[in-house]
Amino acid sequence: MAVDYALIVVYLAGMLAMGWWGMRRAKSKSEFLVAGRRLGPWMYSGTMAAIVLGGASTIGGVGLGYKYGLSGAWMVFAIGLGLLALSVFFSARIARLKVYTVSEMLDLRYGGRAGLITGVVMWAYTLMLAVTSTIAYATIFDVLFDMNRTIAIILGGSIVVAYSALGGMWSITLTDMVQFVVKTIGVLILLLPIAVIKAGGFAEMKAQLPTEYFAPLGIGGETIFTYVLIYTFGMLIGQDIWQRVFTARNDKVASWGGTVAGMYCLVYALAGAVIGTAAKVLYPNLANADDAFATIVKNELPIGVRGLVLAAALAAVMSTSSGALIACATVANNDIWQRLRGVVTHRADGEAHDEVKGNRMFILVMGVGVIGIAIALNNVVEALTVAYNLLVGGLLVPILGGLLWKRGTVNGALSAVVVGGLAVITLMWKFGILANEPIYYGLLASLVTYVVVSLATKPTDEAILANWRERLAGRGGPESAEQPADATSVPATP
């Protein structure tokens, strides 16, 4: 195991080194929060794929394959479909807005009154996403070093907080690109073929397992529908995803780069399900399906390869964790704290560096909070389900309505957030947190409320809509005031 340990230690040290590099580059708010909006297609595709494919997609995806066979791919498949839909239909327009948060987009569209309440909902979602990602460190470090759960969470979380706070989105972008490469090699190129070969090939897998393990809809139609409703639509509106869209060099990069990342997710989904199916052949009696990934890695892979694949699992968790952390801090600072203080968010050139310090401080504070909650929290699935239910039930309709329906109003949007959110909370209390009814009926209540209230209230002022159309066309915006004097000398990434 010494070689495996060395690989992991080098990997973690590399993450910190990239954080230090990013600190030297992030000199303005734009550089720190959205990597200066300079990412080219290759880096954009890699980092977008890295953030959406986290520990749940890797360890959880293999676990679903262990439990349901090939149809276990549907959860990650739904994530890929959401990323494809975002990239094809919305990301070009989102990138042209030149904003930092989803709530800023809602303010632009509806006239400056929707941001605070939507910011609170989005903050709760990104916080729980960061917490659940941080908890996953305990599983990985337990396999690696037989480490105490609390120490594992503190170690993994501290490394992510350190490189995220040092260089912001530049550090996260570079580390995510490395993590994308490590995941591709570790999971797709190494673990997938080795697992299939160890299980005796596809013919032996079919002979050993029930036929439903190879049925495309074996996991159940209702489960697939719920995955699409929560994860596909969740990809369309999450701050963690939008903040990556904001890093694109232009709208074409956002559209085509995201499409490539979405296709990669579909391949990754099928790979995880196949690995899980192979693990079912090799270890048919595991008490917990989510142990399938760690078990097959620990027992079937040779020294060195095992370390690289475990680094791939660690990479999956760190990419999602860092993306959720910077999204949580950005929303907390820009959408909640500054609005409560009444601070104007766009400052003069001389104060740009102070904004970097402020956002860096929020990452540190949120990071400490995330680590503390992760140590105290036990039921991760329920926490993540609550977060996604609130996100989709409360914010999906106002966001997509603002992008697609001119007649939508600020009163309709705010009413939809409140009614959808309350409906989801009430129905989770009645039917249970993991039930399907809360998201079904919560989303329906939000939609009906948005349409009825929008039609019953005064249309959005034409001046607001004119400014909205200008921003959608890529004209206007405060970006130029934030750039440091030498910003134009920093090249775009590939």
Side-chain angles (χ1 to χ4, degrees):
M1 286 291 286
V3 175
D4 297 328
Y5 292 159
L7 281 171
I8 300 297
V9 170
V10 168
Y11 171 76
L12 294 176
M15 296 298 101
L16 292 173
M18 290 171 197
W20 183 261
W21 176 88
M23 182 179 68
R24 300 179 63 186
R25 188 160 186 173
K27 301 298 184 182
S28 71
K29 180 180 178 181
S30 176
E31 298 284 350
F32 191 82
L33 294 182
V34 290
R37 308 190 198 273
R38 289 198 180 91
L39 298 194
W42 295 112
M43 186 166 279
Y44 178 84
S45 297
T47 57
M48 181 62 87
I51 188 177
V52 300
L53 296 174
S57 301
T58 304
I59 299 170
V62 171
L64 287 171
Y66 183 89
K67 191 173 182 179
Y68 298 106
L70 298 186
S71 66
W74 272 105
M75 184 188 77
V76 184
F77 206 81
I79 291 172
L81 290 177
L83 188 51
L84 284 172
L86 175 70
S87 302
V88 171
F89 298 113
F90 301 110
S91 60
R93 281 184 283 176
I94 293 170
R96 287 196 293 265
L97 288 174
K98 295 292 189 292
V99 294
Y100 293 101
T101 67
V102 175
S103 295
E104 285 185 49
M105 166 263 169
L106 292 171
D107 274 352
L108 276 173
R109 169 59 181 82
Y110 293 113
R113 292 169 49 199
L116 182 59
I117 187 171
T118 57
V120 171
V121 175
M122 189 64 75
W123 174 78
Y125 158 73
T126 54
L127 177 70
M128 294 316 301
L129 184 62
V131 166
T132 53
S133 301
T134 302
I135 290 174
Y137 297 128
T139 302
I140 298 170
F141 283 116
D142 179 56
V143 174
L144 285 171
F145 307 116
D146 193 24
M147 187 178 290
N148 174 271
R149 178 183 184 273
T150 299
I151 296 175
I153 290 172
I154 293 173
L155 175 60
S158 297
I159 292 171
V160 169
V161 171
Y163 74 68
S164 300
L166 282 171
M169 188 60 82
W170 271 124
S171 296
I172 293 172
T173 295
L174 189 58
T175 54
D176 276 1
M177 199 62 198
V178 173
Q179 289 158 359
F180 169 74
V181 172
V182 171
K183 279 191 287 191
T184 301
I185 296 173
V187 176
L188 299 185
I189 297 178
L190 294 176
L191 182 58
L192 174 61
I194 290 174
V196 172
I197 292 170
K198 291 282 187 177
F202 284 104
E204 182 64 20
M205 290 163 64
K206 286 185 177 180
Q208 293 285 337
L209 297 172
T211 54
E212 56 263 28
Y213 263 70
F214 301 91
L217 305 180
I219 198 171
E222 185 177 357
T223 299
I224 294 171
F225 179 72
T226 302
Y227 283 157
V228 170
L229 200 60
I230 293 178
Y231 295 111
T232 300
F233 286 120
M235 287 296 106
L236 298 179
I237 59 175
Q239 170 67 24
D240 52 323
I241 309 302
W242 277 42
Q243 199 156 344
R244 295 309 172 96
V245 175
F246 301 150
T247 66
R249 183 189 305 165
N250 52 48
D251 54 0
K252 291 182 179 178
V253 168
S255 180
W256 288 104
T259 300
V260 171
M263 296 299 294
Y264 178 89
C265 291
L266 303 185
V267 174
Y268 200 88
L270 185 58
V274 171
I275 293 167
T277 305
K280 183 67 175 179
V281 174
L282 294 167
Y283 307 96
N285 299 313
L286 292 178
N288 186 350
D290 284 341
D291 292 337
F293 180 89
T295 302
I296 198 169
V297 169
K298 197 171 185 178
N299 297 331
E300 301 298 334
L301 299 186
I303 294 173
V305 173
R306 179 171 50 206
L308 185 57
V309 173
L310 287 172
L314 192 57
V317 175
M318 294 181 89
S319 58
T320 301
S321 181
S322 59
L325 177 60
I326 194 171
C328 178
T330 302
V331 171
N333 187 13
N334 291 266
D335 292 339
I336 300 176
W337 177 245
Q338 291 193 17
R339 290 172 193 270
L340 290 175
R341 293 179 62 212
V343 174
V344 178
T345 57
H346 304 296
R347 303 176 182 176
D349 292 47
E351 297 179 280
H353 197 71
D354 289 336
E355 287 207 67
V356 172
K357 289 181 180 178
N359 282 291
R360 182 175 284 132
M361 183 58 64
F362 265 86
I363 289 179
L364 287 171
V365 172
M366 292 296 112
V368 171
V370 163
I371 292 171
I373 296 171
I375 292 170
L377 198 63
N378 288 320
N379 200 321
V380 223
V381 175
E382 290 192 358
L384 194 59
T385 301
V386 170
Y388 266 103
N389 282 352
L390 284 173
L391 175 72
V392 176
L395 293 184
L396 178 69
V397 170
I399 293 171
L400 294 190
L403 289 168
L404 299 173
W405 192 38
K406 178 182 176 181
R407 187 61 180 81
T409 67
V410 65
N411 293 317
L414 291 174
S415 299
V417 173
V418 173
V419 171
L422 289 177
V424 163
I425 292 170
T426 303
L427 292 169
M428 283 191 294
W429 176 77
K430 181 178 181 180
F431 293 103
I433 289 175
L434 300 179
N436 293 326
E437 287 85 355
I439 190 61
Y440 294 167
Y441 297 119
L443 191 55
L444 180 62
S446 180
L447 176 61
V448 171
T449 302
Y450 180 72
V451 173
V452 170
V453 175
S454 290
L455 292 176
T457 53
K458 182 181 177 182
T460 305
D461 187 88
E462 185 55 38
I464 293 172
L465 291 177
N467 180 56
W468 168 251
R469 288 190 292 268
E470 284 291 299
R471 294 292 289 270
L472 279 179
R475 296 185 289 269
E479 203 81 342
S480 58
E482 298 169 3
Q483 300 294 342
D486 62 344
T488 55
S489 66
V490 182
T493 64

